[in-house]
Amino acid sequence: MNYFPIFLDAKKLNVLVVGGGEIAGAKIELLLKSPATVTVVSPKISANIQALLTAGKIKYINDYYDKSMLAQKQLVFVATENRSLNEQINKEAFEHGVLANVVDNADLCHFITPAIIDRSPMVFAMISSGQSPVLLRYWREKLETIIPQSLGKLASFAGQKRQAVKDRFTNFTNRRVFWESFFSKTGIEQGEDLESAFNMQLENSEDVTSTQAELLVINTPDHPDLLTLGAVRNMQKADNILHDVEVDSVIIDLCRRDAPKAAFNEDNIAETLSLLKQGKRVCYLNTNQTSQSHEFIAAAKELNCQVFCF
Ligand SMILES: C[C@@]1(CC(=O)O)C2=NC(=C\c3[nH]c(c(CCC(=O)O)c3CC(=O)O)Cc3[nH]c(c(CC(=O)O)c3CCC(=O)O)/C=C3\N/C(=C\2)[C@@H](CCC(=O)O)[C@]3(C)CC(=O)O)/[C@H]1CCC(=O)O
Ligand SMILES: NC(=O)c1ccc[n+]([C@@H]2O[C@H](COP(=O)([O-])OP(=O)(O)OC[C@H]3O[C@@H](n4cnc5c(N)ncnc54)[C@H](O)[C@@H]3O)[C@@H](O)[C@H]2O)c1
């Protein structure tokens, strides 16, 4: 991953846009979807940009770019047709600690703009690391059709109810189980009857003090595409991950990111069994059915923990 993905709080963002043509206009429109402060510098601006200026949405410097304009800015977008000017801005921005994006010039970008699926407050942003913008657009269009429009409404609702769930359940595992169960209910994703479904679930949920231990054994294929949907869902739910050394890192990366991970060996069998005794959900990515792995699974069953195979 050569590009590190983060989301910036745009309330505190000061952005300079160099250029006043069609491409600069598109970047400004995108920036104005957020509360960023946008300053445009160009000796000429298009009718679209003029309209934004008249509406008081942007600041405008009617001049040629100068490096002094980078002061107090965190980002600069460059949309001029002048290659040597674009190179100069890339260099000067770097010297001033400002990150530059030169539109459609990966080699002059300190950061690149992603394809975006906006279901605010849920926002999906993705890149092809500059390798293939057309492939990226193709996937954005595909994902647009499967991500429901109501997802933003659901995320806002969950945000408003987070404190109520925190007040009701003191421990982290109970809160996670509550939300997992709420989001998997029929109709919830479509935003139907959120308030009544939520209230009913909150009233009927028990505070589970000791959870039932689960060992989720994934018979891991060579290729991630061959994992079943059930396997991936359970890999995402595990508290701890144990994997045979042969398992591909791409598959391990599909497990819950904050779950501790360990390679299966003699030394950590006892440790994993003790996690199961504490009622944890352990996912075991198994590739070779060795006698040692059979013994481990048998020992887990003896602990009275539930064993599921995928
Ligand atoms: C996300 C998106 C948003 C946006 O434009 O901001 C975006 N490009 C989009 C579309 C698109 N861009 C181009 C075509 C025409 C087809 C083609 O030529 O391939 C199409 C397709 C179309 O329009 O259908 C031309 C192009 N783009 C770049 C180069 C130069 C190069 O690759 O070296 C060239 C050749 C210029 C030339 O030959 O002269 C470079 C960049 N374009 C990026 C972003 C950054 C990398 C993102 C990534 O990781 O892929 C990066 C590195 C810099 C940046 O601009 O931040 C949007 C797609 C998603 C969406 O639709 O949502
Ligand atoms: N138009 C397209 O379809 C398209 C598509 C992809 C990439 N691009 C690239 O994006 C860039 C911008 O495209 P465009 O169509 O908006 O071009 P444009 O010629 O309409 O706009 C360029 C703008 O830069 C301004 N400018 C020039 N020198 C300047 C300086 N020293 N300081 C400040 N502003 C200055 C000009 O006044 C003008 O407003 C070009 O490099 C182009 O190759 C264009």
Side-chain angles (χ1 to χ4, degrees), residues 3 23 26-27 30 77-78 100-109 111-117 126-138 140-141 144:
Y3 291 87
I23 298 298
K27 283 286 178 268
L30 179 65
F77 283 91
V78 186
N101 174 279
V102 178
V103 176
D104 283 358
N105 264 298
D107 57 329
L108 294 180
C109 285
F111 67 94
I112 58 179
T113 47
I116 299 167
I117 299 175
M126 59 216 133
I127 59 164
S128 71
S129 304
Q131 298 302 300
S132 177
V134 174
L135 180 63
L136 181 66
R137 197 196 69 209
Y138 173 76
R140 190 208 8 107
E141 286 167 358
E144 278 279 7

Side-chain angles (χ1 to χ4, degrees), residues 245-265:
V245 280
E246 297 83 0
V247 176
D248 198 313
S249 62
V250 177
I251 293 185
I252 299 173
D253 285 347
L254 293 174
C255 294
R256 219 179 96 229
R257 194 158 48 169
D258 49 358
K261 299 170 183 73
F264 181 80
N265 60 40

Side-chain angles (χ1 to χ4, degrees), residues 152-165 179 195 198:
K153 182 178 154 196
L154 177 58
S156 301
F157 178 83
Q160 287 157 24
K161 298 296 183 190
R162 248 178 118 173
Q163 193 55 48
V165 175
W179 284 118
E195 192 73 46
F198 176 85

Side-chain angles (χ1 to χ4, degrees), residues 17-25 41-46 49 61 63-66 78-83 85-86 89 102-105:
V17 176
V18 184
E22 188 192 336
I23 298 298
V41 54
S42 177
K44 265 196 336 215
I45 52 172
S46 67
I49 300 177
I61 305 170
D63 206 342
Y64 290 91
Y65 158 85
D66 182 84
V78 186
T80 82
E81 67 291 8
N82 181 338
R83 170 86 196 183
L85 173 67
N86 294 349
I89 300 175
V102 178
V103 176
D104 283 358
N105 264 298

Side-chain angles (χ1 to χ4, degrees), residues 280-292:
K280 298 274 187 198
R281 226 187 237 161
V282 175
C283 174
Y284 173 34
L285 302 175
N286 179 232
T287 49
N288 39 18
Q289 311 273 339
T290 59
S291 57
Q292 204 174 34

Side-chain angles (χ1 to χ4, degrees), residues 37 58 82 86 147 160 189 198 208 227 234 245 252 262 290 309:
T37 303
I58 54 171
N82 181 338
N86 294 349
I147 299 177
Q160 287 157 24
E189 217 159 70
F198 176 85
V208 190
L227 283 163
N234 281 283
V245 280
I252 299 173
T290 59
C309 295

